[in-house]
Amino acid sequence: MHAQNSDPFALAQAAADVIATRTGITRHRIAITLGSGWKAAADHLGETVAEVSAPDVPGFTVSGVAGHTGVLRSVRMSSGEYALIIGARTHLYEGHGVDAVVHGVRTAAAAGAEVMVLTNGAGGLNREWRAGQPVLIRDHLNLTARSPIVGPTFVDLTDLYSARLRALAHEVDPFLDDGIYTQLPGPHYETPAEVRMVRALGGDIVGMSTALEAIAARQAGLEVLGMSLITNLAAGIQKTPLNHSEVLEAGLAAEDRLGPLLARIVNRITEAGA
Ligand code: 8IG
């Protein structure tokens, strides 16, 4: 047990082994982490062949965040390939460390995935955006001052949010806008001054999850697609205070559109050959 905890990659392999045993699927070609507002999307992807409760899988815990389900699903897509849907996310602000935050991504890689789709709910800085609008992540600013990588492994992040996958997403919806995702540690939302800082730095989206996961995904050799559901405009841009129930409401309101959109993008990716 202690040996496992000290080696996050061994823990991810143990998780992948349990997933393979419990689902009967030895290889998941693509993995999708579902963030706030994206939960119902899983139902559109294909036929769910198995569900595993997150606490039954080594290294996963039930999230304390309302709107995060704590279930991993194996879904058979129209291409005949299997997708691993990760409905369990650990955030940096939960205090379990960076390895816990990126465990889902490392598990996806150990389960055989070549593509990692990271979705989240986030705040938007672009005044043209509206709550309930999905946008592609084009690049990120990691303002957590942390990395999931320990030691002298110098991972290239030039094309972190794969241009190839973004192009496939644009084939599905040419009107998808994109932006620079900025990860802050949270769990508090930004002050209006911090939102102005993010804007000055070139950020378009503020969130608390995806940048560290994307870095770990790239280290593991996965191709990354990132999508944010803009659930609110960032503090100071929208006039009303931010709250988590508003976030959940925006997610619910957008579900009808998000599910089919994500399903079409994921199926497009697997048909193109992951
Ligand atoms: I949902 O406005 C959601 N997550 N940092 N700021 C940050 N994270 C968020 C926000 C937001 N909305």
Side-chain angles (χ1 to χ4, degrees):
M1 190 62 192
H2 289 291
Q4 267 190 354
N5 284 338
S6 64
D7 180 355
F9 295 96
L11 185 59
Q13 189 57 59
D17 292 346
V18 168
I19 290 166
T21 307
R22 292 280 300 269
T23 63
I25 308 301
T26 49
R27 171 152 201 193
H28 289 87
R29 191 65 71 167
I30 187 165
I32 304 153
T33 296
L34 297 177
S36 298
W38 294 86
K39 287 289 126 49
D43 300 330
H44 294 264
L45 287 166
E47 181 202 350
T48 297
V49 298
E51 265 191 12
V52 186
S53 153
D56 293 349
V57 182
F60 283 88
T61 49
V62 182
S63 170
V65 185
H68 288 259
T69 61
V71 171
L72 288 86
R73 283 206 222 183
S74 184
V75 171
R76 188 175 192 281
M77 294 171 296
S78 52
S79 63
E81 311 250 44
Y82 291 90
L84 180 66
I85 315 290
I86 304 172
R89 176 177 253 152
T90 300
H91 294 85
L92 192 59
Y93 57 71
E94 291 173 66
H96 303 301
V98 181
D99 283 331
V101 166
V102 301
H103 179 61
V105 165
R106 287 176 173 155
T107 297
E114 291 166 354
V115 169
M116 185 77 229
V117 180
L118 298 169
T119 68
N120 60 57
L125 273 71
N126 186 330
R127 290 173 197 279
E128 287 163 20
W129 291 349
R130 294 289 168 264
Q133 177 174 351
V135 297
L136 289 170
I137 300 176
R138 186 172 83 245
D139 201 348
H140 81 215
L141 294 165
N142 172 13
L143 299 191
T144 66
R146 308 294 300 274
S147 173
I149 305 169
V150 177
T153 304
F154 306 107
V155 176
D156 175 64
L157 303 180
T158 307
D159 189 34
L160 179 55
Y161 298 90
S162 162
R164 183 185 82 92
L165 297 181
R166 280 184 284 128
L168 289 174
H170 271 141
E171 284 178 22
V172 170
D173 182 354
F175 298 107
L176 269 179
D177 208 351
D178 60 36
I180 308 297
Y181 178 90
T182 308
Q183 183 175 351
L184 293 112
H188 51 275
Y189 295 118
E190 295 68 36
T191 62
E194 286 164 344
V195 169
R196 289 194 294 275
M197 172 190 78
V198 169
R199 169 168 287 137
L201 295 175
D204 304 298
I205 305 164
V206 276
M208 306 177 190
S209 63
T210 296
L212 293 173
E213 296 172 358
I215 295 167
R218 204 72 204 88
Q219 182 195 20
L222 294 162
E223 201 178 358
V224 177
L225 178 72
M227 291 186 79
S228 292
L229 170 67
I230 302 303
T231 57
N232 57 278
L233 292 186
I237 296 180
Q238 76 170 42
K239 297 296 165 239
T240 51
L242 311 187
N243 66 76
H244 189 60
S245 48
E246 164 195 58
V247 164
L248 297 178
E249 275 169 36
L252 282 176
E255 267 177 351
D256 289 350
R257 181 172 164 219
L258 285 188
L261 174 68
L262 186 63
R264 286 172 66 209
I265 292 172
V266 168
N267 278 290
R268 182 78 193 86
I269 290 170
T270 46
E271 281 154 17

